[in-house]
Amino acid sequence: MANIQQVAQKAGVSVATVSRVLNNHATVTPKTRLKVEQAINELNYEPSMLGRNLRNSESRLLLVLIPSISNPFYTEIIDGIEDTAIKNNYNILLCDTDSNPQRENIYFNLVKNKLADGIISMDPAVDMQKLIDLAEHHPIIQCSEYDENSCIPYVTIDNELAAYHAVKHLIKLGHEKIALINSDEKFLYARQRRQGYERALSEFNLPINKEWIYNTTQLEFEFGQQAMKKLLQSDEKPSAVFAVSDTLAIGALKEINSHGLLVPDDISVVGFDKISFSSMTNPTLTTVSQPMYRMGCTAASMLIDSIQGNKVESIVLNHELVIRESTMG
Amino acid sequence: MANIQQVAQKAGVSVATVSRVLNNHATVTPKTRLKVEQAINELNYEPSMLGRNLRNSESRLLLVLIPSISNPFYTEIIDGIEDTAIKNNYNILLCDTDSNPQRENIYFNLVKNKLADGIISMDPAVDMQKLIDLAEHHPIIQCSEYDENSCIPYVTIDNELAAYHAVKHLIKLGHEKIALINSDEKFLYARQRRQGYERALSEFNLPINKEWIYNTTQLEFEFGQQAMKKLLQSDEKPSAVFAVSDTLAIGALKEINSHGLLVPDDISVVGFDKISFSSMTNPTLTTVSQPMYRMGCTAASMLIDSIQGNKVESIVLNHELVIRESTMG
DNA sequence: ATCAAAAATGTAATCGATTACATCATAAGC
DNA sequence: GCTTATGATGTAATCGATTACATTTTTGAT
C-alpha cells in the first residue's frame, strides 16, 4: 500500500500538496490537483487512518456496547444509531461485551487510545465505576439502560410508567391476580418496572402478593418458562402475567401452553419490547413498545453533540402499549 | 491523557526505557522498572494504540462482517469467533453491513488502513469483487457464506447434503408433496440447498413441482408467511414444507395456523439453523442444526493463522438434523 | 586498581499523515 | 518595469509509540 510520500513523488509535488488535495483545501491549482489525483489512482493509494488520527486525535468511529447480540431488542436501536451516525459522517462498531468485564476493558481502551471518539453503552451490567471514570475524559451516552446517579447523559423511556400502563391494562380487563416476571433487580429498569407494577395494583386496591413476583437471573426464553412453572405451582394461580421482556413472556406462554392452559382464556400475558418474534407466537403477544429506532437516533445525536464539545441533556421518550391476542379474551 | 514522554520525564528515564518496561523487554533493572511503573500509575498512563500500530502495523483487531445483527443465526458463530480471538490475544469488532455497499467500504477501509488485521465475512450479499481485491493484500476468511470461485478460504457446511437430509426425512415420513421455501438463489447456499432438495426428490422418484418452490427476497418472518400463503393457494396443497431458514419456517408455521390447519397433522415443517426461537414455537420446529460455535472458532483460527502468514485450507463441517414436533405426526 | 566484556540506558530515526509558517510565482497597480 | 498583494506550493515540526545503534554503567577477572 502506497503512502503519501510516494504519491507526492510520483506527482512531482510535496506531501503537503497531496494532503491538501486529500482534504479538499481550496488553494490547489486544478492542474496540480489533477496530477495528484492521477498519482493517487495509479498507485491505488488510500490514506492511512492511523497517521491521520495520530495527528488529528479523532477517528470518527463510535463504539456501541451491547451485552449480547442475541437479544433482538437491540437491533432496531442499533439501526437508529447507525443511520444517524452515518448521516453525520461517523461510523459505528458494535461491541458485544457478553457482560464480561475483560471484554469491556478492551473497548474502553479503544476510546482511551483515540481509536474511537465515544461510546454508547446499552449494557445494564456495565462496570459503572469504570464507565464514570471514562466519562470524565471521553464522551459517553447511556441508552435505554442507565444509572441515575452517574451524571452520564442518557436516553430512555419512563419504565415505571410503562409498567404501570401494562398492569393497568390487565386490571381494566378485570384481572385481580396479576403476576410479575421480573429480571434481576440489581438493574434499575427492573426496579422501576416493579414500582410501576406495584403502583397500578395499589391504585386499584389490589394486594401485592409476594408469591406472584418472580425474579429471573437472565432474559432467555428458558428463564421465562422456569418462572412460569413456579408461578403455576403457587397456591392461588394468577390470572394474568406481566413479564418485563418479550423473551420472558414468550417462555411463559410456552410453559402455559404445555400445561394445557390457554392464553388468554386461562391466563393473559403482557410482554415488554415488541421484538419481531412477538407477533409470531400463538397467540400474538400484547407488549409495551419502546421507540427503539428513535432512541438509537437520539443516543447517536447526543453522543456526536458531546464529541463536538456541547453539553447534552438526558432525554426520556414515550412508550406505547400494543394490544394483541394474548390479552384479548 | 499522559503520553510516554511525560512518563519518561516523571520517572527520570528515557522514552526507550519506558517502552521497554511496557513491552517486557528483559534488559531493565528492577529498580528502574519500579520507577517507571510508579510513574505510569501516578500519571494514569495508557499507551496509545495509534502510535503503536503506526509503528508496528498491527492492531490485533479482527473485523466480523454480518449482514444484520437481527438474524439470530449469527449469534452463536460470533461467540465462537470471539472466544477463539480472545484466546489468541485478538479482539473482534462486529460490523453490521446491512448489505449496504457503502457501509461495507467503511469496514474494508479499516483493514486497508491497518486499523484491523483481518476480516471474517459472513455477509452473503458482500461485494465479491471488492472482497477478492482486498484479499490480495489482506487476510480474509469466509464463514458460512462463501464464493466457491474466489480463492478466499472458507468454513461452511455441506448445504446440499443438509438439505438432502432434511427432505429425505420428510420423504421417509411418507410425504410426497414437499414444498421448498428458498431464499434468493443469487446466494450460493440457496442454490445448493435447492439442489439437495431436488436430489432427494429425484432419488425417490418424486416429481419436482415448480408450484411448490417459492423464493423469498428476504429472511424475515413475514416473508415466510407470504411464501406459505402462496403455497396454500396452489392447485394441489403440499403436505410438507422445507424452509431454508428457521425464520422463514416460523413464518410459514404462523401462516398455516392462521388458516386453521395443524402442524404436523395437516402439514409438516422443517427449518434450517436451529435458532433459539425454534424451540419456542408451537409446535416446536424440526430443523437442520449447524455447528455454529465450532464454525466460529474455526473461522477465527483460520484468520489468525492467515494473519501470521500461514496458508490456510477451506473446511467443511458436519450438520445435524434435529427432529422435533413439527414433523412428529 | 585496571581493563574487557556484558548489561543497562539513552539518542534519534521512523511509521504516515496534517498544518503553521516560509518561500516562491503570478497578477495588479502605478 | 518595479513594487506589492495575493495565491500556490514547499519545508519541517508534530502526533506517540518502537527500536537499531551509540553510549554509559556495572561486573568480574587479573
Side-chain angles (χ1 to χ4, degrees):
Chain A
M1 182 68 65
N3 62 18
I4 199 172
Q5 328 271 354
Q6 295 169 275
V7 174
Q9 196 174 1
K10 177 143 217 153
V13 300
S14 73
V15 291
T17 302
V18 177
S19 177
R20 287 190 191 102
V21 171
L22 252 32
N23 295 283
N24 276 319
H25 285 213
T27 63
V28 181
T29 305
K31 201 173 63 178
T32 316
R33 156 163 280 124
L34 202 72
K35 273 195 302 183
V36 172
E37 278 165 354
Q38 249 161 25
I40 288 177
N41 285 332
E42 279 178 48
L43 291 174
N44 231 307
Y45 165 78
E46 310 220 14
S48 152
M49 281 189 173
L50 248 32
R52 181 175 284 173
N53 293 357
L54 183 57
R55 184 61 213 241
N56 291 350
S57 318
E58 77 158 6
S59 62
R60 299 201 82 85
L61 243 34
L62 309 181
L63 259 35
V64 179
L65 256 53
I66 46 181
S68 154
I69 64 155
S70 63
N71 190 334
F73 167 62
Y74 296 106
T75 312
E76 257 189 76
I77 299 184
I78 291 169
D79 280 345
I81 295 176
E82 215 159 18
D83 288 350
T84 304
I86 286 177
K87 214 174 289 164
N88 288 279
N89 220 340
Y90 278 83
N91 302 311
I92 74 163
L93 290 171
L94 262 31
C95 305
D96 184 353
T97 65
D98 209 12
S99 297
N100 173 338
Q102 215 188 338
R103 294 198 191 171
E104 232 173 52
N105 258 327
I106 292 160
Y107 300 123
F108 286 173
N109 280 332
L110 290 181
V111 175
K112 283 192 194 156
N113 294 331
K114 312 250 182 96
L115 272 188
D117 293 345
I119 292 186
I120 293 174
S121 169
M122 303 205 274
D123 186 355
V126 73
D127 181 331
M128 249 312 145
Q129 194 48 54
K130 263 200 249 154
L131 198 68
I132 292 170
D133 291 348
L134 195 66
E136 273 189 40
H137 299 289
H138 302 276
I140 297 189
I141 301 292
Q142 301 177 91
C143 180
S144 174
E145 314 293 344
Y146 67 104
D147 180 330
E148 41 195 348
N149 308 315
S150 70
C151 297
I152 305 176
Y154 55 79
V155 52
T156 185
I157 58 161
D158 188 335
N159 282 296
E160 195 272 346
L161 187 64
Y164 169 81
H165 281 154
V167 176
K168 189 168 165 181
H169 165 65
L170 289 170
I171 296 174
K172 284 283 169 78
L173 289 173
H175 291 284
E176 300 199 329
K177 296 182 289 185
I178 302 173
L180 171 68
I181 301 182
N182 202 355
S183 71
D184 196 320
E185 292 192 23
K186 74 181 171 199
F187 301 134
L188 178 64
Y189 80 90
R191 296 197 297 278
Q192 292 174 328
R193 291 181 193 174
R194 181 189 181 134
Q195 278 167 22
Y197 164 81
E198 294 187 351
R199 175 155 71 95
L201 293 185
S202 304
E203 194 172 307
F204 291 87
N205 293 314
L206 296 171
I208 290 161
N209 185 340
K210 284 258 163 64
E211 231 188 350
W212 292 338
I213 299 181
Y214 187 98
N215 289 90
T216 67
T217 53
Q218 289 179 61
L219 293 175
E220 272 77 35
F221 302 124
E222 307 86 58
F223 294 87
Q225 286 179 284
Q226 208 177 299
M228 197 64 223
K229 194 175 201 170
K230 206 64 179 264
L231 290 173
L232 289 173
Q233 287 167 2
S234 54
D235 299 336
E236 212 176 352
K237 263 184 245 165
S239 70
V241 178
F242 169 49
V244 298
S245 100
D246 282 347
T247 47
L248 292 176
I250 289 166
L253 223 59
K254 184 81 192 159
E255 189 65 21
I256 295 172
N257 275 329
S258 72
H259 281 249
L261 298 170
L262 284 178
V263 176
D265 307 17
D266 298 311
I267 300 183
S268 292
V269 176
V270 177
F272 208 112
D273 288 344
K274 199 185 172 207
I275 64 175
S276 64
F277 191 60
S278 67
S279 62
M280 283 298 126
T281 53
N282 191 4
T284 54
L285 187 66
T286 292
T287 186
V288 176
S289 158
Q290 305 190 40
M292 302 194 269
Y293 183 80
R294 201 144 65 82
M295 196 181 282
C297 293
T298 307
S301 295
M302 288 166 70
L303 182 59
I304 292 170
D305 253 26
S306 170
I307 289 171
Q308 292 171 353
N310 304 316
K311 265 259 170 304
V312 299
E313 299 278 312
S314 295
I315 295 178
V316 176
L317 300 174
N318 292 323
H319 59 266
E320 188 188 358
L321 184 66
V322 178
I323 297 169
R324 294 197 286 215
E325 291 166 3
S326 71
T327 62
M328 300 205 296
Chain B
M1 183 66 65
N3 63 17
I4 199 171
Q5 328 271 354
Q6 296 170 273
V7 174
Q9 195 174 2
K10 175 143 219 153
V13 300
S14 73
V15 292
T17 302
V18 178
S19 177
R20 288 191 189 100
V21 171
L22 251 33
N23 295 284
N24 278 319
H25 285 212
T27 63
V28 181
T29 305
K31 202 174 61 177
T32 317
R33 157 164 280 123
L34 203 72
K35 274 195 302 182
V36 172
E37 278 165 353
Q38 251 161 22
I40 288 178
N41 285 332
E42 281 178 47
L43 292 174
N44 230 308
Y45 164 78
E46 311 221 13
S48 153
M49 283 189 171
L50 245 34
R52 181 173 285 173
N53 292 358
L54 183 56
R55 185 61 213 243
N56 290 349
S57 338
E58 78 158 4
S59 63
R60 298 200 83 84
L61 242 35
L62 309 181
L63 259 34
V64 178
L65 257 52
I66 46 179
S68 154
I69 63 155
S70 63
N71 191 333
F73 167 62
Y74 296 106
T75 312
E76 257 189 77
I77 299 184
I78 290 169
D79 280 345
I81 295 177
E82 214 159 18
D83 288 350
T84 304
I86 286 177
K87 214 174 289 164
N88 288 277
N89 220 342
Y90 279 83
N91 301 312
I92 74 164
L93 290 172
L94 261 33
C95 305
D96 184 353
T97 65
D98 210 12
S99 298
N100 173 339
Q102 215 187 337
R103 294 198 191 172
E104 231 173 53
N105 257 327
I106 292 161
Y107 301 122
F108 286 173
N109 279 332
L110 290 181
V111 176
K112 281 192 194 156
N113 294 330
K114 312 250 182 94
L115 272 188
D117 294 345
I119 291 186
I120 293 175
S121 170
M122 302 203 275
D123 187 356
V126 73
D127 181 332
M128 248 314 144
Q129 195 47 55
K130 265 200 250 154
L131 198 69
I132 292 170
D133 291 348
L134 195 66
E136 271 188 42
H137 299 289
H138 302 277
I140 297 189
I141 302 292
Q142 301 178 90
C143 180
S144 174
E145 314 293 344
Y146 68 105
D147 180 331
E148 42 195 348
N149 307 315
S150 70
C151 296
I152 304 176
Y154 55 80
V155 51
T156 186
I157 59 162
D158 188 335
N159 282 296
E160 195 272 346
L161 187 63
Y164 169 81
H165 281 154
V167 176
K168 188 168 166 182
H169 165 65
L170 289 170
I171 297 173
K172 283 283 168 77
L173 290 173
H175 291 284
E176 302 200 328
K177 297 181 289 184
I178 301 172
L180 171 68
I181 301 183
N182 202 353
S183 70
D184 195 321
E185 293 191 22
K186 73 182 171 199
F187 302 134
L188 178 63
Y189 80 90
R191 296 197 296 277
Q192 292 175 328
R193 290 181 194 174
R194 181 190 180 133
Q195 278 167 22
Y197 164 81
E198 294 186 350
R199 175 155 70 96
L201 293 185
S202 304
E203 194 171 308
F204 290 87
N205 292 314
L206 296 171
I208 291 161
N209 185 341
K210 283 257 163 66
E211 232 189 349
W212 293 337
I213 298 182
Y214 188 97
N215 290 90
T216 67
T217 53
Q218 289 178 60
L219 292 176
E220 273 77 36
F221 299 125
E222 307 85 58
F223 294 87
Q225 286 179 284
Q226 209 178 297
M228 197 63 224
K229 194 174 200 168
K230 206 60 178 267
L231 289 173
L232 288 174
Q233 285 166 2
S234 53
D235 299 334
E236 211 176 353
K237 263 183 245 166
S239 71
V241 178
F242 169 50
V244 297
S245 101
D246 283 347
T247 47
L248 292 176
I250 289 170
L253 224 58
K254 182 80 193 160
E255 190 65 21
I256 295 172
N257 275 327
S258 71
H259 281 250
L261 298 170
L262 284 179
V263 176
D265 305 17
D266 298 311
I267 301 183
S268 292
V269 176
V270 177
F272 207 111
D273 288 345
K274 200 186 172 206
I275 64 176
S276 63
F277 291 130
S278 66
S279 62
M280 282 298 126
T281 52
N282 191 4
T284 54
L285 189 66
T286 293
T287 185
V288 177
S289 158
Q290 306 190 40
M292 304 195 266
Y293 183 81
R294 201 145 66 81
M295 196 182 281
C297 293
T298 308
S301 295
M302 288 165 71
L303 183 58
I304 291 170
D305 252 25
S306 171
I307 289 172
Q308 292 171 352
N310 304 317
K311 265 257 170 306
V312 300
E313 298 279 312
S314 296
I315 295 178
V316 176
L317 299 174
N318 292 324
H319 59 267
E320 187 189 357
L321 184 65
V322 178
I323 296 168
R324 294 198 288 216
E325 292 165 4
S326 70
T327 60
M328 300 206 296

